[in-house]
Amino acid sequence: MIAAMGDDSGRIAPRPPQRVMRLARMGAAHQTRLSFMRILLRRMMRDNWRFERPVFDIGADGVGHAVYTAYGPERCYSLVAFAHDLPDEARSDRVIAEAWDATFTLFDGLPDDADIERLRANVPLQEAGRITQSELSLSRANRSTRLFAHVVERLSQGLQPDAEMVAAVGYLMRTTAVYGSGKFGAADRECIARRAEFSAPFQVEMLSVYLTRCFVMDLVEHLARARAPQSAVRMDPAIKRSFSIGNSTGLGMAPFLVNHPRLLNNWIAAREEALARVRNLPQATEAEVAVFRAVLRRAIENAGLWTSQHPLQIEKLDALRGDLSRLSAHATPERLAQKRPWDALYRWAEDHLGFEGQEQLVALLLEPYGDLVDDLGETMSADEEECFAINGAMPVGRLKQILGDVYDWAGQIDWSSRAANARAWYVSQEKLEPRLGERFDEPIEDYEQPLAPGRDAARLSAALSGWDDDRPVAEFLLASPEHRHIVRRAQIAARFRYAEIRDNTIDHAMLPIDMLRCKLAFFGAGRFDPRSDRWVRINMFAGAPFPEELADWTDEAWAYGAEQ
Amino acid sequence: MSLSLNEVESLSRKAARGAGLSWGMAEEAGRAVRWLEAGGIGGADALASVLLRHDDKSLRAPGLSEIRGQGGAGDLPLCPIATGAALSDFGLGENTLTLDAVFAPILLAGPLARVAGRMGAELEALCKGGALCLSPEGMAICGDVSPWLEGAAIVEIRRLTGDVPGAPNARRTRAHPAPAVLDILNGFAARTYAPATEASRLAGAGAGPSDND
């Protein structure tokens, strides 16, 4: 813990992984300046991206296709959208669904007619179709039945949508999956990773969702006009901006964090370094304090509007609101005029606020300091190939030491207990969907995925106990190939301190939504609304400027909602 | 069918696991296949024949003395995945390493390129009259290495003494395995999937019966 106190120069170090990489805290993560949606919007504004809609061929029945093209400094990308006529009873957000209200792909460049026909034969099928290296993503979305109908109805009558209904749902369509990185035939990330616009993680997926939001807003206005050409009106820009794209995220995302340890490290390390930089500032200017307090006010508003039916989230929201009100009372301009004000505030929060409040504060502390922290966005990608090779020359003694350092928590768990082993992650035959089952109640153990690093580290530790410290890891692995996976992880975790979640991912009380929330917060999502312990609804791009607003847009903190 | 390299790696990893390899070894299989396919060689074909042999239990892992070049052999041919992993873990000494009867030895190429990268040297693998030169930059082929995709043969591995013979293979971004190969790999991969039950369909993924607002 010495590292957490600061090094010889008196610099406050980033928070230690033992504190940061716990599921309860990861499950309280909030979007920050370094979230991928915000990185994308900053780039599009800075580089003056231009947007066109070369095709909008959609009938009065809402069926047809449209193309939205985003022009960056060197290349352009087109969202190809197919709108369908889906009966209400066929609408499902599950991965096992087979039809959707709209389906999409992000095309690399500008598609010609032949491309569109090829895509029309495949994109609406989603997983059952095939796309090519010309496509960068594959996604689909379903309408929020109630709100979609209401908005079309009101606009067609010359009226704006009811503010309360808009606030209650927040989106007109929710994506139920956004696939990138070589899935279903799409281009591999390696094909585009060197392009500046895609150097940060998940920029393809975020661009696709951003353009999807444009499409959905155009679609409702189009349907209102088709219904009543004489009376229909366009949506008020401020109301329009309040709409997000919803997203329904299930278990499929949770294993991602475990399967990409170095990437997870880079995300967390960027945020923690940003926090450390701000905490180390000797003082804050009045202008910086004003920005912080203004964003805090918006976070309070946002927490007030954030609703959920789930008991766990209701509890968390109460805690967040209480924390924010204490924070607001404590973070006075007088206190923030003192030396190292942000560090003092953060340390106060650790003593007086819960995880929700502490992690919201982390996000808020970065807001006044774009110049100081935004460059860290460039460090959030990862070359996973580089850390694949196992260091076979490492002495067994060093590996034992790593297990003690990184997986000490796992050594304290009684792995012979049913509670500690209660769950198993597996992939279902049907639709190849990742699932979490009850190990002792279901016939799934033979199919278990390697998603329990804590247990595997404990097993490795036991297997190593008879081995001489001086012998190389290569000899151990030749004798015990079943430990190869966890040895690789341990060596990665030794080099990248935030690579490993320091909690039992198969415990009976583990909440997959904690893993989902951490990942989705890095995307930039808000208003997390869990529908069970293993799937969550979120909002994406709520408050974001539309393409026609980007040129004059100055509000960097759009993700906290409109300024009141 | 045109597969992305992510797809061919992921399918290979799952298939190897389905054929009974440990998860860590299955990861090696996926990486080895991806590396070959990116070099324009049918790594997926080679893996399919390896996994069929695994299913018969007719391949073996190398022993310590074999990997150290101190001889020793068994009745069965060596598994190229286990052998490649061991070569990657142990590295190579100064002397030529001769391995008796490696099955589908083309799958050693990726791991050996990794070793070459770590040594900052060029390595040469010789087998059945063909040669592969592996350098930190990639792979150059001399002669015909198509027999390396199946069957077992003696492989010699040594530091390259002369010039690198020719330019490295052009990098590809797609893999094109034959339908029969895909069938084999998909068949093994399917062994990793748990049969669905209605209970798991609902509880496992955690959704309720209706998702509509």
Side-chain angles (χ1 to χ4, degrees):
Chain A
M1 293 300 277
I2 303 285
M5 311 292 285
D7 55 25
D8 292 345
S9 65
R11 184 180 192 268
I12 297 150
R15 298 187 292 178
Q18 298 87 323
R19 181 164 297 197
V20 175
M21 302 307 291
R22 301 300 305 271
L23 283 175
R25 187 182 290 274
M26 293 170 76
H30 290 263
Q31 64 81 25
T32 73
R33 294 190 67 94
L34 296 171
S35 294
F36 308 141
M37 287 173 208
R38 295 184 65 182
I39 291 176
L40 175 72
L41 250 68
R42 278 201 298 273
R43 176 178 293 276
M44 294 195 302
M45 285 189 263
R46 190 192 64 208
D47 293 346
N48 300 311
W49 282 48
R50 193 164 57 76
F51 297 82
E52 287 178 6
R53 191 183 79 179
V55 181
F56 192 85
D57 183 10
I58 291 181
D61 56 354
V63 177
H65 83 282
V67 178
Y68 288 73
T69 305
Y71 291 86
E74 291 177 65
R75 284 169 286 264
C76 73
Y77 302 96
S78 301
L79 181 79
V80 182
F82 296 97
H84 310 291
D85 182 17
L86 185 66
D88 280 355
E89 62 274 16
R91 191 170 291 112
S92 166
D93 287 4
R94 301 290 312 284
V95 165
I96 57 175
E98 286 172 355
W100 302 271
D101 285 317
T103 52
F104 309 90
T105 185
L106 189 72
F107 184 87
D108 190 2
L110 201 58
D112 61 21
D113 291 347
D115 291 319
I116 296 290
E117 288 320 305
R118 176 174 59 80
L119 295 172
R120 192 195 302 283
N122 285 283
V123 171
L125 304 177
Q126 295 284 293
E127 292 95 336
R130 286 296 289 176
I131 50 176
T132 73
Q133 195 164 287
S134 301
E135 285 80 53
L136 308 180
S137 74
L138 183 70
S139 60
R140 68 292 192 99
N142 281 335
R143 293 177 184 177
S144 162
T145 331
R146 211 155 38 96
L147 190 57
F148 197 96
H150 167 79
V151 171
V152 173
E153 175 83 16
R154 296 280 285 201
L155 293 179
S156 72
Q157 293 167 348
L159 302 168
Q160 293 299 321
D162 177 72
E164 273 183 32
M165 273 192 78
V166 174
V169 179
Y171 55 83
L172 291 168
M173 276 199 194
R174 56 181 181 272
T175 54
T176 66
V178 182
Y179 298 111
S181 282
K183 300 271 170 52
F184 307 106
D188 282 312
R189 170 151 175 86
E190 286 74 4
C191 298
I192 53 155
R194 278 182 212 87
R195 301 181 187 180
E197 60 271 29
F198 293 144
S199 61
F202 285 96
Q203 296 298 284
V204 162
E205 291 85 348
M206 297 302 112
L207 176 58
S208 148
V209 172
Y210 181 72
L211 294 174
T212 297
R213 180 167 171 255
C214 301
F215 162 74
V216 174
M217 303 317 289
D218 283 359
L219 183 65
V220 283
E221 291 187 344
H222 169 76
L223 293 176
R225 248 190 333 270
R227 182 177 299 182
Q230 306 301 323
S231 57
V233 291
R234 303 197 61 178
M235 204 185 295
D236 172 82
I239 297 175
K240 188 174 160 183
R241 262 197 313 275
S242 73
F243 276 99
S244 67
I245 285 293
N247 175 271
S248 197
T249 295
L251 272 184
M253 235 184 212
F256 182 93
L257 292 182
V258 182
N259 285 331
H260 298 274
R262 186 171 180 191
L263 193 60
L264 175 63
N265 171 79
N266 289 5
W267 297 2
I268 305 277
R271 186 190 67 196
E272 295 305 316
E273 170 60 19
L275 173 63
R277 286 182 187 177
V278 173
R279 287 176 65 189
N280 276 288
L281 290 172
Q283 61 248 323
T285 66
E286 277 179 34
E288 288 158 357
V289 169
V291 169
F292 171 80
R293 290 187 52 85
V295 183
L296 172 56
R297 277 194 298 277
R298 289 167 74 175
I300 291 171
E301 289 272 342
N302 183 55
L305 295 169
W306 179 351
T307 57
S308 176
Q309 303 293 317
H310 198 278
L312 284 172
Q313 188 62 28
I314 291 171
E315 204 177 296
K316 281 175 145 184
L317 282 170
D318 284 344
L320 176 62
R321 290 174 192 135
D323 281 352
L324 287 176
S325 114
R326 278 190 291 284
L327 176 63
S328 180
H330 183 81
T332 58
E334 296 71 41
R335 280 207 177 88
L336 296 175
Q338 292 168 14
K339 241 184 90 188
R340 270 195 177 167
W342 305 122
D343 180 53
L345 185 58
Y346 178 77
R347 282 188 287 112
W348 171 85
E350 280 202 331
D351 291 341
H352 295 90
L353 307 182
F355 288 156
E356 278 285 349
Q358 290 178 35
E359 297 308 298
Q360 178 72 85
L361 175 61
V362 169
L364 295 173
L365 287 175
L366 311 189
E367 291 298 340
Y369 295 106
D371 290 346
L372 186 66
V373 304
D374 286 351
D375 65 308
L376 290 164
E378 295 298 318
T379 66
M380 296 172 90
S381 290
D383 176 2
E384 296 181 308
E385 173 63 28
E386 188 267 332
C387 56
F388 180 77
I390 287 175
N391 174 7
M394 175 185 280
V396 161
R398 170 65 188 136
L399 183 57
K400 289 178 183 170
Q401 197 182 19
I402 292 170
L403 291 174
D405 289 348
V406 179
Y407 301 94
D408 56 330
W409 55 272
Q412 291 154 21
I413 292 173
D414 174 10
W415 293 100
S416 67
S417 81
R418 281 170 78 96
N421 281 292
R423 265 80 173 273
W425 294 87
Y426 67 99
V427 174
S428 73
Q429 197 173 61
E430 177 187 62
K431 285 284 181 174
L432 312 185
E433 186 186 37
R435 288 177 180 167
L436 185 64
E438 301 298 322
R439 181 186 309 276
F440 301 110
D441 302 333
E442 297 175 61
I444 50 175
E445 190 162 29
D446 290 347
Y447 306 96
E448 186 172 10
Q449 296 282 311
L451 294 167
R455 178 204 58 198
D456 294 349
R459 286 181 180 170
L460 172 61
S461 205
L464 283 172
S465 62
W467 281 70
D468 191 335
D469 285 357
D470 297 332
R471 291 172 75 185
V473 163
E475 284 186 29
F476 171 73
L477 287 177
L478 198 62
S480 307
E482 68 275 19
H483 293 292
R484 191 167 186 84
H485 174 81
I486 186 64
V487 167
R488 192 187 329 272
R489 290 194 75 90
Q491 290 192 342
I492 292 171
R495 289 172 61 198
F496 304 101
R497 57 202 304 245
Y498 302 110
E500 199 73 280
I501 296 170
R502 310 218 174 181
D503 259 311
N504 179 7
T505 49
I506 53 170
D507 188 81
H508 73 112
M510 186 270 302
L511 297 171
I513 46 176
D514 287 339
M515 294 156 90
L516 300 180
R517 175 153 168 191
C518 175
K519 186 180 183 205
L520 293 166
F522 273 97
F523 281 15
R527 306 269 177 97
F528 304 92
D529 180 13
R531 297 302 173 101
S532 79
D533 66 342
R534 51 193 76 182
W535 74 286
V536 62
R537 283 275 181 78
I538 51 159
N539 289 354
M540 300 189 286
F541 288 110
F546 279 87
E548 64 274 16
E549 300 174 311
L550 284 178
D552 303 316
W553 192 261
T554 54
D555 177 21
E556 291 199 327
W558 56 264
Y560 294 87
E563 281 176 284
Q564 301 297 311
Chain B
M1 185 144 109
S2 166
L3 268 61
S4 70
L5 296 179
N6 268 355
E7 284 178 307
V8 81
E9 176 176 352
S10 155
L11 173 61
S12 299
R13 181 178 62 242
K14 284 188 247 179
R17 174 64 182 166
L21 275 67
S22 74
W23 277 113
M25 208 54 92
E27 289 158 359
E28 303 286 341
R31 215 40 87 100
V33 168
R34 182 194 188 114
W35 194 90
L36 285 172
E37 294 284 352
I41 292 180
D45 297 37
L47 183 67
S49 58
V50 168
L51 298 184
L52 289 171
R53 295 292 292 250
H54 262 284
D55 220 27
D56 295 346
K57 310 241 182 287
S58 56
L59 293 178
R60 66 182 180 91
L64 187 55
S65 59
E66 267 173 304
I67 285 297
R68 286 186 167 154
Q70 294 158 351
D75 295 337
L76 297 171
L78 289 167
C79 166
I81 304 301
T83 307
L87 289 171
S88 174
D89 291 350
F90 282 89
L92 286 166
E94 289 304 315
N95 298 329
T96 298
L97 177 66
T98 304
L99 295 169
D100 278 347
V102 183
F103 192 82
I106 195 74
L107 284 160
L108 298 178
L112 286 175
R114 210 186 291 150
V115 174
R118 211 158 52 221
M119 293 166 73
E122 279 95 28
L123 296 175
E124 187 177 36
L126 304 152
C127 176
K128 290 184 177 173
L132 272 185
C133 172
L134 299 149
S135 69
E137 283 73 49
M139 156 178 71
I141 298 174
C142 291
D144 182 12
V145 295
S146 57
W148 296 35
L149 269 72
E150 54 192 30
I154 295 172
V155 181
E156 285 188 314
I157 302 159
R158 62 189 184 207
R159 276 179 186 254
L160 182 72
T161 43
D163 292 334
V164 177
N169 267 27
R171 305 298 285 175
R172 310 272 179 93
T173 56
R174 308 293 281 190
H176 301 274
V181 168
L182 283 177
D183 284 349
I184 293 170
L185 295 180
N186 278 319
F188 282 114
R191 297 187 190 174
T192 66
Y193 308 141
T197 61
E198 189 53 35
S200 74
R201 209 169 282 150
L202 288 175
S210 167
D211 306 323
N212 275 336
D213 281 309

